[in-house]
Amino acid sequence: MTADHPDHGAPDEVDAQEIREAFGVRVALIRAELTSTWNKLRQNERDVRDH
């Protein structure tokens, strides 16, 4: 570490609430995507069994 770059890493003032909200949004989007994909796969399995 050099004195030229004292602010490597996390800043001193981190808004934990903001991070939780942003992370929550990401998790919600990923969960929705997984749910959608899972439902499509299950539908495909049902279609294959029905034919």
Side-chain angles (χ1 to χ4, degrees):
M1 288 289 273
T2 64
D4 296 340
H5 301 289
D7 59 351
H8 264 325
D12 292 335
E13 292 297 319
V14 175
D15 186 348
Q17 181 67 28
E18 191 176 311
I19 291 172
R20 274 196 296 272
E21 287 173 6
F23 186 71
V25 168
R26 290 292 303 259
V27 169
L29 289 171
I30 292 167
R31 183 175 290 158
E33 187 68 32
L34 286 172
T35 301
S36 172
T37 302
W38 180 252
N39 289 338
K40 286 178 191 165
L41 287 171
R42 291 186 60 184
Q43 184 61 50
N44 286 343
E45 283 183 7
R46 281 196 292 271
D47 290 345
V48 166
R49 262 181 288 170
D50 291 345
H51 292 290

